[in-house]
Amino acid sequence: NAGVMQNPRHLVRRRGQEARLRCSPMKGHSHVYWYRQLPEEGLKFMVYLQKENIIDESGMPKERFSAEFPKEGPSILRIQQVVRGDSAAYFCASSTDTYGYTFGSGTRLTVV
Amino acid sequence: LAKTTQPISMDSYEGQEVNITCSHNNIATNDYITWYQQFPSQGPRFIIQGYKTKVTNEVASLFIPADRKSSTLSLPRVSLSDTAVYYCLVGASNTGKLIFGQGTTLQVKP
């Protein structure tokens, strides 16, 4: 049973481009979470999704950031018009209704 | 969600037992205490979870006093590979957002 799969592991974007980060949850997990970690800091919650629904987006920046978890396929975190301050590690986690909060290895976004 | 306080950093030597204490004065009746470990360039990994008294698994022990206002993660006979950041989290559910603090950076020296 593969763990939470994130890709790409590393992503370089120029300022103003779009970044798309993908997350495939563990098999049987219907809850997906995205976190951001700036250098030398702890993880900050961004958004919590279930299939086709956003449950809690209280940590998402109001502009340029969006997330989805479609009925089929991976969850996508999309950052439009990236700026240098978006450079960070983005982690995805998944869980069932009651158990198994598991993190992926992250995507490291570098904006140049 | 209860706020947690833990030391920013700790040093230890190989073979020693390491105890990391976390304060959570406002823990609620339904809250569990969970510890995660994070290595550089990796996502956090679940270590142990408990509600009260003592919990032990193959990796660590978790000691929780009767008032539950603190907890202590105990790592027996640490090795260099235990060098990581350790996070203490408090919450009532296995779904929903997790609130991470700064964590404790443990440096194990030879």
Side-chain angles (χ1 to χ4, degrees):
Chain A
N1 183 15
V4 176
M5 303 301 293
Q6 290 189 248
N7 64 84
R9 284 300 308 272
H10 301 275
L11 181 62
V12 179
R13 284 288 177 266
R14 296 186 185 279
R15 282 178 293 169
Q17 290 185 320
E18 178 181 285
R20 292 171 72 88
L21 288 63
R22 288 177 290 277
C23 169
S24 295
M26 287 185 69
K27 186 176 181 180
H29 286 197
S30 59
H31 303 257
V32 166
Y33 316 83
W34 286 93
Y35 290 79
R36 176 165 64 177
Q37 186 171 34
L38 296 170
E40 308 302 324
E41 294 189 13
L43 287 86
K44 303 294 184 189
F45 168 80
M46 299 181 74
V47 63
Y48 163 29
L49 311 102
Q50 286 185 272
K51 285 289 188 181
E52 299 184 281
N53 288 305
I54 296 175
I55 307 301
D56 180 352
E57 56 181 348
S58 58
M60 284 280 271
K62 294 288 186 281
E63 298 178 350
R64 301 189 297 107
F65 285 72
S66 62
E68 63 176 6
F69 187 19
K71 187 176 180 181
E72 301 290 339
S75 175
I76 305 288
L77 179 67
R78 182 182 178 204
I79 311 172
Q80 295 179 289
Q81 300 176 323
V82 296
V83 300
R84 289 227 170 99
D86 297 331
S87 294
Y90 292 83
F91 292 97
C92 169
S94 71
S95 74
T96 66
D97 286 343
T98 56
Y99 185 74
Y101 214 111
T102 304
F103 284 84
S105 295
T107 293
R108 264 146 197 84
L109 172 65
T110 301
V111 179
V112 297
Chain B
L1 294 169
K3 179 176 163 46
T4 60
T5 304
Q6 50 184 124
I8 295 293
S9 64
M10 294 181 71
D11 288 340
S12 182
Y13 291 92
E14 283 190 288
Q16 289 187 330
E17 177 184 80
V18 171
N19 296 308
I20 306 174
T21 297
C22 177
S23 298
H24 27 80
N25 291 317
N26 296 321
I27 190 168
T29 304
N30 296 336
D31 286 342
Y32 283 78
I33 300 153
T34 309
W35 285 80
Y36 284 83
Q37 175 192 56
Q38 186 180 24
F39 296 115
S41 303
Q42 294 188 27
R45 184 175 74 105
F46 172 90
I47 302 176
I48 197 165
Q49 184 180 69
Y51 183 81
K52 62 181 180 181
T53 62
K54 177 184 174 183
V55 179
T56 297
N57 62 22
E58 63 277 6
V59 176
S61 295
L62 179 59
F63 299 92
I64 305 168
D67 66 5
R68 303 200 328 122
K69 292 185 184 300
S70 67
S71 59
T72 299
L73 174 72
S74 181
L75 304 173
R77 299 182 58 79
V78 294
S79 63
L80 295 176
S81 62
D82 292 316
T83 293
V85 180
Y86 293 82
Y87 294 98
C88 163
L89 287 82
V90 171
S93 173
N94 282 308
T95 62
K97 64 185 176 186
L98 298 179
I99 305 296
F100 286 85
Q102 290 276 58
T104 298
T105 299
L106 172 65
Q107 180 71 49
V108 179
K109 302 175 182 178

